[in-house]
Amino acid sequence: SEMLELKANPNRFAIGTVIEANLDKGEGPKATLLVQNGTLSFQDYVVVGTAYGKIRRMTNEYKKIVKVATPSTPVCVIGLSEVPNAGDHFMAFPNEKQARDIAFKRALLKKQEEQNSSGGLTLDDLYNRIHEGEVQIVNLVVKANTTGSAEAVKASLDKLSNEQVKINVIHCSAGAITESDIMLANASGAIIYGFNVRPSALISQKAEQVKVEIRLHRIIYDLLNEMEAAMKGMLKKEKIERITGQAEVRSLIRISKIGTIAG
């Protein structure tokens, strides 16, 4: 890197990437940002993926509060509207209105893309579905405390799919279980898996009303074992006939109180 003579301009609004993000019970959405250009300052307005907000606190890797973060500096920030995804890019802006408008447009565009991707059915899809008539599909919604945990759970669940039962994770993100997750699960007939997150009493009540099942786990192996056991119960049972002996009926004796006796 010294030979490449990499340079960054500290005298501009910051841009960079999200390293990790999670939902903190006391402080709300938290994100670890890596500043790649410019200088990120305390109380800057930022857009992070589809989230936005004003930085209320910024800490370094030693959990000490800092006021500014220069290029190549990782910082943990709070004050965002929602939990972003790891790998999302962030930008700082001079005012809240500009940040909010850009985040709103991004969220709208993302929603349209999801609708388009989950919408129509092509002939190829139809052909595949016909030929996979024996395949059962399990729809799941995965929510976890961090984006890294959510992706790890999703990847592990995908590996459990076999020839007869396929696991389809229709939504995977970090953050608390929300009403929109309940609605999505209800519409797609999915089960919600919460990893290191718990729903509020209101969300639990809503799930009971629409008969959506929420399964909560803190250990990934317990989650996978539970799903594997459920899948084994869903596998198509094979009936195998084994002949243990042969007999020939020579006569029938009918008795009213007993029934028919074969001789």
mmCIF file of all heavy atoms in Angstrom, residues 24-67:
data_model
loop_
_atom_site.group_PDB
_atom_site.id
_atom_site.type_symbol
_atom_site.label_atom_id
_atom_site.label_comp_id
_atom_site.label_asym_id
_atom_site.label_seq_id
_atom_site.Cartn_x
_atom_site.Cartn_y
_atom_site.Cartn_z
ATOM 1 N N ASP A 24 -29.065 -3.148 19.171
ATOM 2 C CA ASP A 24 -28.770 -3.144 20.602
ATOM 3 C C ASP A 24 -30.059 -2.860 21.370
ATOM 4 O O ASP A 24 -30.824 -1.974 21.003
ATOM 5 C CB ASP A 24 -27.717 -2.084 20.919
ATOM 6 C CG ASP A 24 -27.217 -2.192 22.339
ATOM 7 O OD1 ASP A 24 -27.888 -1.654 23.246
ATOM 8 O OD2 ASP A 24 -26.157 -2.802 22.555
ATOM 9 N N LYS A 25 -30.286 -3.619 22.448
ATOM 10 C CA LYS A 25 -31.537 -3.466 23.210
ATOM 11 C C LYS A 25 -31.695 -2.072 23.784
ATOM 12 O O LYS A 25 -32.786 -1.510 23.817
ATOM 13 C CB LYS A 25 -31.583 -4.494 24.344
ATOM 14 C CG LYS A 25 -31.758 -5.926 23.857
ATOM 15 C CD LYS A 25 -31.789 -6.891 25.026
ATOM 16 C CE LYS A 25 -31.947 -8.335 24.541
ATOM 17 N NZ LYS A 25 -31.936 -9.302 25.667
ATOM 18 N N GLY A 26 -30.577 -1.488 24.268
ATOM 19 C CA GLY A 26 -30.668 -0.177 24.903
ATOM 20 C C GLY A 26 -30.455 0.996 23.965
ATOM 21 O O GLY A 26 -31.042 2.054 24.147
ATOM 22 N N GLU A 27 -29.610 0.812 22.940
ATOM 23 C CA GLU A 27 -29.208 1.933 22.091
ATOM 24 C C GLU A 27 -29.807 1.907 20.689
ATOM 25 O O GLU A 27 -29.623 2.845 19.918
ATOM 26 C CB GLU A 27 -27.685 1.979 21.993
ATOM 27 C CG GLU A 27 -27.019 2.211 23.339
ATOM 28 C CD GLU A 27 -25.503 2.091 23.274
ATOM 29 O OE1 GLU A 27 -25.001 1.248 22.509
ATOM 30 O OE2 GLU A 27 -24.825 2.846 23.999
ATOM 31 N N GLY A 28 -30.506 0.828 20.338
ATOM 32 C CA GLY A 28 -31.117 0.748 19.017
ATOM 33 C C GLY A 28 -30.140 0.279 17.960
ATOM 34 O O GLY A 28 -29.133 -0.378 18.263
ATOM 35 N N PRO A 29 -30.378 0.618 16.678
ATOM 36 C CA PRO A 29 -29.491 0.166 15.600
ATOM 37 C C PRO A 29 -28.068 0.700 15.777
ATOM 38 O O PRO A 29 -27.863 1.895 15.999
ATOM 39 C CB PRO A 29 -30.146 0.749 14.337
ATOM 40 C CG PRO A 29 -31.569 0.977 14.705
ATOM 41 C CD PRO A 29 -31.558 1.344 16.153
ATOM 42 N N LYS A 30 -27.085 -0.205 15.675
ATOM 43 C CA LYS A 30 -25.675 0.170 15.755
ATOM 44 C C LYS A 30 -24.972 -0.359 14.508
ATOM 45 O O LYS A 30 -25.299 -1.434 14.018
ATOM 46 C CB LYS A 30 -25.013 -0.430 17.001
ATOM 47 C CG LYS A 30 -25.525 0.122 18.308
ATOM 48 C CD LYS A 30 -24.876 -0.564 19.491
ATOM 49 C CE LYS A 30 -23.439 -0.133 19.679
ATOM 50 N NZ LYS A 30 -22.864 -0.687 20.937
ATOM 51 N N ALA A 31 -24.019 0.413 14.008
ATOM 52 C CA ALA A 31 -23.280 -0.010 12.818
ATOM 53 C C ALA A 31 -21.803 0.329 12.976
ATOM 54 O O ALA A 31 -21.456 1.408 13.472
ATOM 55 C CB ALA A 31 -23.850 0.658 11.568
ATOM 56 N N THR A 32 -20.940 -0.595 12.566
ATOM 57 C CA THR A 32 -19.503 -0.341 12.523
ATOM 58 C C THR A 32 -19.154 0.093 11.111
ATOM 59 O O THR A 32 -19.331 -0.670 10.165
ATOM 60 C CB THR A 32 -18.701 -1.593 12.908
ATOM 61 O OG1 THR A 32 -19.117 -2.028 14.204
ATOM 62 C CG2 THR A 32 -17.213 -1.307 12.928
ATOM 63 N N LEU A 33 -18.704 1.333 10.969
ATOM 64 C CA LEU A 33 -18.421 1.919 9.659
ATOM 65 C C LEU A 33 -16.918 2.066 9.452
ATOM 66 O O LEU A 33 -16.193 2.418 10.395
ATOM 67 C CB LEU A 33 -19.080 3.300 9.536
ATOM 68 C CG LEU A 33 -20.566 3.415 9.892
ATOM 69 C CD1 LEU A 33 -21.033 4.862 9.740
ATOM 70 C CD2 LEU A 33 -21.410 2.495 9.032
ATOM 71 N N LEU A 34 -16.480 1.816 8.234
ATOM 72 C CA LEU A 34 -15.081 2.062 7.872
ATOM 73 C C LEU A 34 -15.045 3.280 6.948
ATOM 74 O O LEU A 34 -15.584 3.245 5.834
ATOM 75 C CB LEU A 34 -14.479 0.845 7.165
ATOM 76 C CG LEU A 34 -13.051 1.026 6.643
ATOM 77 C CD1 LEU A 34 -12.082 1.257 7.798
ATOM 78 C CD2 LEU A 34 -12.622 -0.174 5.821
ATOM 79 N N VAL A 35 -14.449 4.353 7.417
ATOM 80 C CA VAL A 35 -14.336 5.577 6.614
ATOM 81 C C VAL A 35 -13.265 5.355 5.552
ATOM 82 O O VAL A 35 -12.119 5.050 5.871
ATOM 83 C CB VAL A 35 -13.975 6.795 7.498
ATOM 84 C CG1 VAL A 35 -13.875 8.052 6.649
ATOM 85 C CG2 VAL A 35 -15.010 6.982 8.597
ATOM 86 N N GLN A 36 -13.642 5.506 4.284
ATOM 87 C CA GLN A 36 -12.696 5.273 3.193
ATOM 88 C C GLN A 36 -12.231 6.567 2.522
ATOM 89 O O GLN A 36 -11.191 6.600 1.879
ATOM 90 C CB GLN A 36 -13.333 4.332 2.154
ATOM 91 C CG GLN A 36 -13.542 2.926 2.717
ATOM 92 C CD GLN A 36 -14.322 2.042 1.774
ATOM 93 O OE1 GLN A 36 -15.524 2.180 1.620
ATOM 94 N NE2 GLN A 36 -13.624 1.122 1.128
ATOM 95 N N ASN A 37 -13.031 7.621 2.680
ATOM 96 C CA ASN A 37 -12.642 8.929 2.145
ATOM 97 C C ASN A 37 -13.395 9.996 2.919
ATOM 98 O O ASN A 37 -14.510 9.780 3.387
ATOM 99 C CB ASN A 37 -12.984 9.014 0.651
ATOM 100 C CG ASN A 37 -12.105 10.027 -0.074
ATOM 101 O OD1 ASN A 37 -11.300 10.733 0.549
ATOM 102 N ND2 ASN A 37 -12.254 10.115 -1.384
ATOM 103 N N GLY A 38 -12.760 11.167 3.060
ATOM 104 C CA GLY A 38 -13.399 12.243 3.806
ATOM 105 C C GLY A 38 -13.249 12.073 5.307
ATOM 106 O O GLY A 38 -12.558 11.173 5.785
ATOM 107 N N THR A 39 -13.926 12.929 6.043
ATOM 108 C CA THR A 39 -13.885 12.886 7.507
ATOM 109 C C THR A 39 -15.314 12.818 8.043
ATOM 110 O O THR A 39 -16.153 13.659 7.703
ATOM 111 C CB THR A 39 -13.187 14.131 8.078
ATOM 112 O OG1 THR A 39 -11.831 14.166 7.594
ATOM 113 C CG2 THR A 39 -13.162 14.095 9.597
ATOM 114 N N LEU A 40 -15.578 11.798 8.853
ATOM 115 C CA LEU A 40 -16.893 11.623 9.484
ATOM 116 C C LEU A 40 -16.864 12.283 10.849
ATOM 117 O O LEU A 40 -15.989 11.994 11.661
ATOM 118 C CB LEU A 40 -17.218 10.138 9.609
ATOM 119 C CG LEU A 40 -18.623 9.778 10.117
ATOM 120 C CD1 LEU A 40 -19.687 10.228 9.120
ATOM 121 C CD2 LEU A 40 -18.737 8.277 10.359
ATOM 122 N N SER A 41 -17.821 13.167 11.087
ATOM 123 C CA SER A 41 -17.840 13.924 12.343
ATOM 124 C C SER A 41 -19.079 13.600 13.161
ATOM 125 O O SER A 41 -20.112 13.195 12.622
ATOM 126 C CB SER A 41 -17.813 15.431 12.048
ATOM 127 O OG SER A 41 -16.678 15.768 11.276
ATOM 128 N N PHE A 42 -18.948 13.799 14.477
ATOM 129 C CA PHE A 42 -20.067 13.655 15.391
ATOM 130 C C PHE A 42 -21.195 14.617 14.986
ATOM 131 O O PHE A 42 -20.946 15.763 14.653
ATOM 132 C CB PHE A 42 -19.581 13.953 16.818
ATOM 133 C CG PHE A 42 -20.674 14.069 17.838
ATOM 134 C CD1 PHE A 42 -21.460 12.983 18.164
ATOM 135 C CD2 PHE A 42 -20.905 15.281 18.469
ATOM 136 C CE1 PHE A 42 -22.462 13.095 19.115
ATOM 137 C CE2 PHE A 42 -21.897 15.410 19.424
ATOM 138 C CZ PHE A 42 -22.683 14.308 19.739
ATOM 139 N N GLN A 43 -22.436 14.109 14.954
ATOM 140 C CA GLN A 43 -23.642 14.848 14.574
ATOM 141 C C GLN A 43 -23.760 15.076 13.060
ATOM 142 O O GLN A 43 -24.587 15.863 12.618
ATOM 143 C CB GLN A 43 -23.748 16.188 15.324
ATOM 144 C CG GLN A 43 -23.978 16.001 16.825
ATOM 145 C CD GLN A 43 -24.318 17.288 17.532
ATOM 146 O OE1 GLN A 43 -23.920 18.376 17.103
ATOM 147 N NE2 GLN A 43 -25.076 17.197 18.623
ATOM 148 N N ASP A 44 -22.966 14.355 12.250
ATOM 149 C CA ASP A 44 -23.166 14.368 10.799
ATOM 150 C C ASP A 44 -24.444 13.610 10.456
ATOM 151 O O ASP A 44 -24.848 12.686 11.168
ATOM 152 C CB ASP A 44 -21.987 13.700 10.087
ATOM 153 C CG ASP A 44 -20.855 14.674 9.790
ATOM 154 O OD1 ASP A 44 -21.027 15.870 10.070
ATOM 155 O OD2 ASP A 44 -19.801 14.228 9.296
ATOM 156 N N TYR A 45 -25.066 13.978 9.347
ATOM 157 C CA TYR A 45 -26.213 13.238 8.821
ATOM 158 C C TYR A 45 -25.697 12.230 7.791
ATOM 159 O O TYR A 45 -24.942 12.598 6.889
ATOM 160 C CB TYR A 45 -27.222 14.183 8.173
ATOM 161 C CG TYR A 45 -27.844 15.150 9.143
ATOM 162 C CD1 TYR A 45 -27.368 16.450 9.257
ATOM 163 C CD2 TYR A 45 -28.892 14.753 9.969
ATOM 164 C CE1 TYR A 45 -27.934 17.342 10.166
ATOM 165 C CE2 TYR A 45 -29.461 15.638 10.884
ATOM 166 C CZ TYR A 45 -28.970 16.938 10.972
ATOM 167 O OH TYR A 45 -29.535 17.805 11.875
ATOM 168 N N VAL A 46 -26.099 10.963 7.940
ATOM 169 C CA VAL A 46 -25.572 9.917 7.054
ATOM 170 C C VAL A 46 -26.708 9.092 6.450
ATOM 171 O O VAL A 46 -27.782 8.952 7.043
ATOM 172 C CB VAL A 46 -24.597 8.970 7.797
ATOM 173 C CG1 VAL A 46 -23.321 9.687 8.171
ATOM 174 C CG2 VAL A 46 -25.250 8.357 9.019
ATOM 175 N N VAL A 47 -26.429 8.569 5.264
ATOM 176 C CA VAL A 47 -27.285 7.563 4.628
ATOM 177 C C VAL A 47 -26.485 6.278 4.568
ATOM 178 O O VAL A 47 -25.369 6.262 4.031
ATOM 179 C CB VAL A 47 -27.709 7.993 3.206
ATOM 180 C CG1 VAL A 47 -28.498 6.870 2.533
ATOM 181 C CG2 VAL A 47 -28.540 9.246 3.240
ATOM 182 N N VAL A 48 -27.033 5.199 5.140
ATOM 183 C CA VAL A 48 -26.353 3.907 5.171
ATOM 184 C C VAL A 48 -27.297 2.884 4.548
ATOM 185 O O VAL A 48 -28.236 2.432 5.190
ATOM 186 C CB VAL A 48 -25.989 3.486 6.602
ATOM 187 C CG1 VAL A 48 -25.126 2.243 6.597
ATOM 188 C CG2 VAL A 48 -25.300 4.610 7.347
ATOM 189 N N GLY A 49 -27.061 2.529 3.275
ATOM 190 C CA GLY A 49 -27.994 1.636 2.587
ATOM 191 C C GLY A 49 -29.338 2.318 2.455
ATOM 192 O O GLY A 49 -29.456 3.398 1.864
ATOM 193 N N THR A 50 -30.379 1.733 3.051
ATOM 194 C CA THR A 50 -31.718 2.350 3.056
ATOM 195 C C THR A 50 -32.019 3.033 4.390
ATOM 196 O O THR A 50 -33.110 3.548 4.587
ATOM 197 C CB THR A 50 -32.796 1.287 2.780
ATOM 198 O OG1 THR A 50 -32.700 0.247 3.750
ATOM 199 C CG2 THR A 50 -32.629 0.680 1.399
ATOM 200 N N ALA A 51 -31.035 3.042 5.290
ATOM 201 C CA ALA A 51 -31.200 3.705 6.589
ATOM 202 C C ALA A 51 -30.576 5.099 6.543
ATOM 203 O O ALA A 51 -29.727 5.393 5.710
ATOM 204 C CB ALA A 51 -30.550 2.882 7.694
ATOM 205 N N TYR A 52 -31.026 5.964 7.451
ATOM 206 C CA TYR A 52 -30.442 7.297 7.561
ATOM 207 C C TYR A 52 -30.494 7.713 9.026
ATOM 208 O O TYR A 52 -31.132 7.051 9.857
ATOM 209 C CB TYR A 52 -31.200 8.304 6.683
ATOM 210 C CG TYR A 52 -32.552 8.698 7.232
ATOM 211 C CD1 TYR A 52 -32.712 9.856 8.006
ATOM 212 C CD2 TYR A 52 -33.670 7.896 7.012
ATOM 213 C CE1 TYR A 52 -33.944 10.204 8.529
ATOM 214 C CE2 TYR A 52 -34.898 8.246 7.527
ATOM 215 C CZ TYR A 52 -35.039 9.396 8.290
ATOM 216 O OH TYR A 52 -36.262 9.738 8.815
ATOM 217 N N GLY A 53 -29.852 8.829 9.342
ATOM 218 C CA GLY A 53 -29.914 9.327 10.707
ATOM 219 C C GLY A 53 -28.796 10.307 11.006
ATOM 220 O O GLY A 53 -27.912 10.554 10.176
ATOM 221 N N LYS A 54 -28.856 10.843 12.209
ATOM 222 C CA LYS A 54 -27.836 11.763 12.699
ATOM 223 C C LYS A 54 -26.990 11.016 13.719
ATOM 224 O O LYS A 54 -27.529 10.375 14.627
ATOM 225 C CB LYS A 54 -28.499 12.986 13.345
ATOM 226 C CG LYS A 54 -27.531 14.033 13.838
ATOM 227 C CD LYS A 54 -28.298 15.195 14.471
ATOM 228 C CE LYS A 54 -27.377 16.303 14.937
ATOM 229 N NZ LYS A 54 -28.122 17.426 15.549
ATOM 230 N N ILE A 55 -25.680 11.081 13.564
ATOM 231 C CA ILE A 55 -24.790 10.344 14.467
ATOM 232 C C ILE A 55 -24.875 10.942 15.873
ATOM 233 O O ILE A 55 -24.492 12.083 16.107
ATOM 234 C CB ILE A 55 -23.338 10.368 13.954
ATOM 235 C CG1 ILE A 55 -23.252 9.632 12.607
ATOM 236 C CG2 ILE A 55 -22.396 9.720 14.963
ATOM 237 C CD1 ILE A 55 -21.897 9.663 11.965
ATOM 238 N N ARG A 56 -25.415 10.138 16.799
ATOM 239 C CA ARG A 56 -25.567 10.593 18.182
ATOM 240 C C ARG A 56 -24.352 10.249 19.040
ATOM 241 O O ARG A 56 -24.099 10.890 20.053
ATOM 242 C CB ARG A 56 -26.833 9.981 18.797
ATOM 243 C CG ARG A 56 -28.111 10.524 18.160
ATOM 244 C CD ARG A 56 -29.334 10.180 18.965
ATOM 245 N NE ARG A 56 -29.722 8.781 18.813
ATOM 246 C CZ ARG A 56 -29.689 7.885 19.782
ATOM 247 N NH1 ARG A 56 -29.245 8.211 20.979
ATOM 248 N NH2 ARG A 56 -30.082 6.645 19.567
ATOM 249 N N ARG A 57 -23.635 9.204 18.633
ATOM 250 C CA ARG A 57 -22.409 8.855 19.357
ATOM 251 C C ARG A 57 -21.512 8.039 18.431
ATOM 252 O O ARG A 57 -21.986 7.247 17.619
ATOM 253 C CB ARG A 57 -22.722 8.048 20.617
ATOM 254 C CG ARG A 57 -21.529 7.987 21.584
ATOM 255 C CD ARG A 57 -21.834 7.155 22.796
ATOM 256 N NE ARG A 57 -21.904 5.738 22.449
ATOM 257 C CZ ARG A 57 -22.490 4.812 23.221
ATOM 258 N NH1 ARG A 57 -23.076 5.174 24.337
ATOM 259 N NH2 ARG A 57 -22.502 3.552 22.855
ATOM 260 N N MET A 58 -20.211 8.251 18.561
ATOM 261 C CA MET A 58 -19.246 7.573 17.700
ATOM 262 C C MET A 58 -18.085 7.096 18.578
ATOM 263 O O MET A 58 -17.493 7.889 19.309
ATOM 264 C CB MET A 58 -18.765 8.563 16.623
ATOM 265 C CG MET A 58 -18.000 7.941 15.495
ATOM 266 S SD MET A 58 -17.954 9.029 14.035
ATOM 267 C CE MET A 58 -17.154 10.492 14.687
ATOM 268 N N THR A 59 -17.807 5.777 18.523
ATOM 269 C CA THR A 59 -16.738 5.216 19.358
ATOM 270 C C THR A 59 -15.727 4.483 18.486
ATOM 271 O O THR A 59 -16.063 3.950 17.426
ATOM 272 C CB THR A 59 -17.305 4.242 20.409
ATOM 273 O OG1 THR A 59 -18.091 3.239 19.754
ATOM 274 C CG2 THR A 59 -18.171 4.974 21.419
ATOM 275 N N ASN A 60 -14.471 4.429 18.965
ATOM 276 C CA ASN A 60 -13.428 3.723 18.219
ATOM 277 C C ASN A 60 -13.342 2.274 18.668
ATOM 278 O O ASN A 60 -14.195 1.793 19.428
ATOM 279 C CB ASN A 60 -12.077 4.439 18.378
ATOM 280 C CG ASN A 60 -11.617 4.486 19.825
ATOM 281 O OD1 ASN A 60 -12.147 3.791 20.695
ATOM 282 N ND2 ASN A 60 -10.621 5.298 20.108
ATOM 283 N N GLU A 61 -12.293 1.555 18.233
ATOM 284 C CA GLU A 61 -12.177 0.125 18.541
ATOM 285 C C GLU A 61 -11.927 -0.129 20.024
ATOM 286 O O GLU A 61 -12.088 -1.258 20.496
ATOM 287 C CB GLU A 61 -11.061 -0.522 17.699
ATOM 288 C CG GLU A 61 -9.658 -0.008 17.967
ATOM 289 C CD GLU A 61 -9.274 1.143 17.051
ATOM 290 O OE1 GLU A 61 -10.157 1.968 16.705
ATOM 291 O OE2 GLU A 61 -8.092 1.227 16.690
ATOM 292 N N TYR A 62 -11.523 0.914 20.783
ATOM 293 C CA TYR A 62 -11.314 0.778 22.227
ATOM 294 C C TYR A 62 -12.529 1.247 23.026
ATOM 295 O O TYR A 62 -12.450 1.442 24.239
ATOM 296 C CB TYR A 62 -10.075 1.573 22.656
ATOM 297 C CG TYR A 62 -8.841 1.190 21.877
ATOM 298 C CD1 TYR A 62 -8.293 2.057 20.943
ATOM 299 C CD2 TYR A 62 -8.235 -0.054 22.062
ATOM 300 C CE1 TYR A 62 -7.162 1.711 20.203
ATOM 301 C CE2 TYR A 62 -7.109 -0.415 21.329
ATOM 302 C CZ TYR A 62 -6.581 0.472 20.398
ATOM 303 O OH TYR A 62 -5.479 0.118 19.676
ATOM 304 N N LYS A 63 -13.655 1.462 22.329
ATOM 305 C CA LYS A 63 -14.929 1.915 22.914
ATOM 306 C C LYS A 63 -14.815 3.294 23.556
ATOM 307 O O LYS A 63 -15.567 3.626 24.468
ATOM 308 C CB LYS A 63 -15.445 0.888 23.927
ATOM 309 C CG LYS A 63 -15.788 -0.451 23.278
ATOM 310 C CD LYS A 63 -16.446 -1.403 24.261
ATOM 311 C CE LYS A 63 -16.816 -2.700 23.553
ATOM 312 N NZ LYS A 63 -17.474 -3.662 24.457
ATOM 313 N N LYS A 64 -13.855 4.099 23.067
ATOM 314 C CA LYS A 64 -13.721 5.478 23.531
ATOM 315 C C LYS A 64 -14.452 6.405 22.568
ATOM 316 O O LYS A 64 -14.383 6.229 21.345
ATOM 317 C CB LYS A 64 -12.240 5.868 23.625
ATOM 318 C CG LYS A 64 -11.493 5.147 24.732
ATOM 319 C CD LYS A 64 -10.053 5.648 24.833
ATOM 320 C CE LYS A 64 -9.314 4.946 25.967
ATOM 321 N NZ LYS A 64 -7.909 5.408 26.070
ATOM 322 N N ILE A 65 -15.171 7.381 23.113
ATOM 323 C CA ILE A 65 -15.944 8.307 22.283
ATOM 324 C C ILE A 65 -14.996 9.220 21.509
ATOM 325 O O ILE A 65 -14.055 9.788 22.077
ATOM 326 C CB ILE A 65 -16.902 9.142 23.153
ATOM 327 C CG1 ILE A 65 -17.957 8.229 23.807
ATOM 328 C CG2 ILE A 65 -17.590 10.231 22.334
ATOM 329 C CD1 ILE A 65 -18.860 8.910 24.800
ATOM 330 N N VAL A 66 -15.242 9.326 20.217
ATOM 331 C CA VAL A 66 -14.432 10.199 19.363
ATOM 332 C C VAL A 66 -15.345 11.185 18.646
ATOM 333 O O VAL A 66 -16.525 10.920 18.429
ATOM 334 C CB VAL A 66 -13.618 9.385 18.319
ATOM 335 C CG1 VAL A 66 -12.561 8.546 19.005
ATOM 336 C CG2 VAL A 66 -14.525 8.508 17.471
ATOM 337 N N LYS A 67 -14.813 12.325 18.285
ATOM 338 C CA LYS A 67 -15.585 13.382 17.615
ATOM 339 C C LYS A 67 -15.460 13.309 16.095
ATOM 340 O O LYS A 67 -16.384 13.676 15.371
ATOM 341 C CB LYS A 67 -15.126 14.760 18.103
ATOM 342 C CG LYS A 67 -15.387 15.015 19.586
ATOM 343 C CD LYS A 67 -16.860 15.111 19.891
ATOM 344 C CE LYS A 67 -17.105 15.453 21.374
ATOM 345 N NZ LYS A 67 -18.549 15.516 21.687
#
